[in-house]
Amino acid sequence: GTSLCSGELHPDMIVYEEQHLKSDKRAYFSQLHNYHKDMIGFLSKLKESWETCKDPEKEILPKIPRFIP
């Protein structure tokens, strides 16, 4: 009985680990939400710029970063 309640199997340690995982999960989803919100804002601005410019290929395309591996 006492060997089961020591180290990582101690009830306090299990509760701590669960709280830590929940906290990490909340932080991850908060960062993911912020990333998505920023991406939508960027795409909305890009769409607006594209629709209002006279020649999108010359004015907009050079400003878009190219990701070439």
Side-chain angles (χ1 to χ4, degrees), residues 37-51:
K37 188 174 74 172
D38 291 345
M39 183 58 70
I40 289 170
F42 170 75
L43 292 173
S44 295
K45 287 180 185 178
L46 186 62
K47 177 184 175 189
E48 182 180 311
S49 297
W50 187 279
E51 292 173 343

Side-chain angles (χ1 to χ4, degrees), residues 14-68:
I14 292 172
V15 169
Y16 170 78
E17 288 294 325
E18 287 178 357
Q19 290 173 347
H20 184 69
L21 288 173
K22 286 180 184 179
S23 175
D24 284 351
K25 185 177 178 180
R26 279 193 300 272
Y28 169 77
F29 281 110
S30 175
Q31 290 173 349
L32 185 63
H33 172 76
N34 289 337
Y35 170 78
H36 286 154
K37 188 174 74 172
D38 291 345
M39 183 58 70
I40 289 170
F42 170 75
L43 292 173
S44 295
K45 287 180 185 178
L46 186 62
K47 177 184 175 189
E48 182 180 311
S49 297
W50 187 279
E51 292 173 343
T52 59
C53 72
K54 294 178 183 178
D55 190 2
E57 290 185 14
K58 290 183 180 177
E59 295 178 33
I60 305 274
L61 288 180
K63 296 178 183 178
I64 299 174
R66 305 274 183 218
F67 298 103
I68 300 172

Side-chain angles (χ1 to χ4, degrees), residues 1-11 13:
T2 58
S3 64
L4 288 177
C5 286
S6 63
E8 293 179 10
L9 297 177
H10 191 276
M13 189 59 143

